[in-house]
Amino acid sequence: VQTCALPICHDGKRGSLLRECGYPAWRVIGLECCGWGDVEAKSAGVYYPENLDHPLFHSPEPVGLKPGEVFGSSPDGKSRRAVGHEYDCRWSRLATMTSRTPDGGVVPVEPKGITTLAVGKRPSKIALDFFTNATLTADGAVADMIYWERPEGGRIFNAGAIGAGWALSVDPKLQALMRNTLARFGIQRSSG
């Protein structure tokens, strides 16, 4: 009989996050959930570029980000901030958030080939560790925007935050990055 990974389940079976049921998201999309919260501008976060030399920031069009510049919100930075609702990060980040491993618990090894393009930070610094215990991050980093060339084949772009779609509708730099990503995946821009 399997037991519940979290004490809040009702049927006594494993539940909650898919990784608790044996279907970890990182195997498919490269990232794992490390928290959720509201999307109000005062608590949601934005992206800080990590790898501005990556081709996705330059080709086929320049995104136009400068070192230290943030993106992932309305142009005034006050609304539609990307890093809210639910956010996901790389295993390497999640491992640093996890200070205690329960008996029988195992933190997996991160797969190879993942490149961090940007880090999403929230002002509250609140996150969940691998075992869904509340924790604080040192710098507020709770989301990783990645490009992953999987060893088994296939390429993945993951914004690391559900709210990225919301920010995509208002942020020209995030829009350019998405067009570059689609071009890299062979999606041609329509002429009309």
Side-chain angles (χ1 to χ4, degrees):
V1 174
Q2 293 183 352
T3 60
C4 203
L6 296 173
I8 57 173
C9 68
H10 300 285
D11 61 5
K13 295 181 180 176
R14 291 177 65 120
S16 183
L17 300 170
L18 283 172
R19 68 179 177 239
E20 299 295 335
C21 302
Y23 301 101
W26 64 268
R27 286 188 185 152
V28 179
I29 62 173
L31 302 178
E32 268 297 330
C33 179
C34 70
W36 45 85
D38 60 38
V39 293
E40 293 180 24
K42 66 182 180 203
S43 62
V46 294
Y47 295 111
Y48 294 74
E50 285 268 305
N51 192 350
L52 284 175
D53 292 333
H54 195 278
L56 289 178
F57 286 112
H58 302 283
S59 178
E61 66 180 279
V63 172
L65 285 166
K66 298 175 183 78
E69 184 178 5
V70 298
F71 67 109
S73 70
S74 61
D76 65 6
K78 295 180 181 176
S79 66
R80 298 210 179 204
R81 296 171 68 118
V83 188
H85 187 59
E86 181 184 316
Y87 22 97
D88 304 333
C89 66
R90 291 178 61 167
W91 274 117
S92 53
R93 186 172 311 285
L94 197 55
T96 66
M97 294 179 198
T98 304
S99 61
R100 179 178 62 78
T101 302
D103 292 341
V106 176
V107 176
V109 176
E110 182 171 84
K112 297 188 182 312
I114 297 175
T115 300
T116 299
L117 302 173
V119 174
K121 297 182 180 184
R122 288 177 54 90
S124 70
K125 301 181 182 181
I126 297 171
L128 297 175
D129 72 7
F130 177 70
F131 300 101
T132 61
N133 297 304
T135 188
L136 292 175
T137 66
D139 60 358
V142 296
D144 289 299
M145 179 182 283
I146 64 164
Y147 176 72
W148 181 22
E149 294 191 6
R150 294 173 46 130
E152 306 86 11
R155 296 171 291 172
I156 299 202
F157 170 85
N158 191 330
I162 290 176
W166 197 33
L168 182 62
S169 69
V170 295
D171 182 350
K173 293 184 181 193
L174 187 54
Q175 292 166 3
L177 179 61
M178 185 55 65
R179 285 190 298 272
N180 289 350
T181 301
L182 291 172
R184 186 172 184 104
F185 289 167
I187 308 299
Q188 298 299 315
R189 198 170 177 181
S190 69
S191 58

